[in-house]
Amino acid sequence: MTLSKFAAFAAVSGALVSVALPAAAQQKLVPAQSEIAFTSRQMGVPVDGKFKKFDAQVAFDPKKADASKIAFTVDLGSVSLGAAETEAEVVKPDWFNTKAFPQATFQSTTVKAVGAGKFEVTGKLAIKGASKDVVVPVTIAQAGATTTATGAFTIKRLDYKIGDGDWKDTSMVADAVQIKFKLALTGVAPL
């Protein structure tokens, strides 16, 4: 149960990071080709999860990255951990508390190019009423009309009060959660 909750947290963070990927005006997220996943550790064992529902509002021009704006929302109740009992637990107050905080959000503050097809997106990640600055490395690849943004970053679950109460003990569920994302977008200008 603890691992699932932690995985849900990681998934939310992953979804938010995915939003940090560039996209342009008239740009659309292709959900069927996109994924926000996370990996947490319970008693040293990796636990993988993902979020099934997320959305992004993206305005991105790779040639004018500094003018880009990225916003993301993740439905925390859509967490998938592969076990119904764990998924039922992670929505409770000690974990995501989805009744009070149904969504996690990300809002970019800066986007900068850091190399060929590589960007760094800085912004505010808000989960469960806590908001923290995050820096998300993003790699962009284009194939035909689809642009794919990928990346990974790590958050600390306790910074967002995920795993309150007895779950604050990081010997059972690690504090670090890796968020991984792959976002497929249409309408992005060529690199």
Side-chain angles (χ1 to χ4, degrees):
M1 247 190 322
T2 302
L3 180 57
S4 296
K5 292 177 185 179
F6 183 69
F9 169 72
V12 171
S13 299
L16 296 176
V17 172
S18 298
V19 172
L21 302 177
Q26 302 297 327
Q27 297 163 350
K28 301 252 186 229
L29 177 68
V30 184
Q33 297 175 25
S34 301
E35 181 176 71
I36 296 173
F38 60 92
T39 301
S40 61
R41 292 194 166 272
Q42 183 174 351
M43 296 178 65
V45 176
V47 175
D48 296 323
K50 63 182 176 179
F51 287 94
K52 296 180 197 174
K53 295 179 184 176
F54 49 90
D55 195 17
Q57 297 77 45
V58 182
F60 174 74
D61 181 341
K63 294 179 178 132
K64 298 177 186 173
D66 58 338
S68 299
K69 298 290 180 201
I70 298 142
F72 203 88
T73 57
V74 176
D75 178 350
L76 296 178
S78 75
V79 66
S80 174
L81 295 161
E85 64 276 1
T86 301
E87 292 164 4
E89 189 64 30
V90 296
V91 300
K92 292 181 180 178
D94 279 351
W95 294 98
F96 286 136
N97 194 6
T98 59
K99 284 187 181 179
F101 305 101
Q103 296 181 326
T105 62
F106 174 84
Q107 179 66 56
S108 68
T109 54
T110 62
V111 179
K112 68 178 181 177
V114 293
K118 296 190 181 299
F119 298 85
E120 189 174 83
V121 180
T122 302
K124 295 275 185 190
L125 175 61
I127 304 170
K128 200 177 173 183
S131 180
K132 300 288 180 188
D133 292 323
V134 295
V135 178
V136 180
V138 178
T139 300
I140 302 291
Q142 293 179 316
T146 303
T147 299
T148 303
T150 58
F153 66 103
T154 300
I155 62 169
K156 303 281 187 178
R157 69 177 176 90
L158 295 177
D159 285 350
Y160 298 93
K161 302 175 192 166
I162 297 174
D164 267 347
D166 293 340
W167 301 114
K168 284 184 179 180
D169 179 1
T170 57
S171 68
M172 287 292 291
V173 179
D175 194 18
V177 177
Q178 184 184 45
I179 309 299
K180 300 168 278 193
F181 58 90
K182 177 180 108 173
L183 300 178
L185 304 162
T186 60
V188 177
L191 294 171

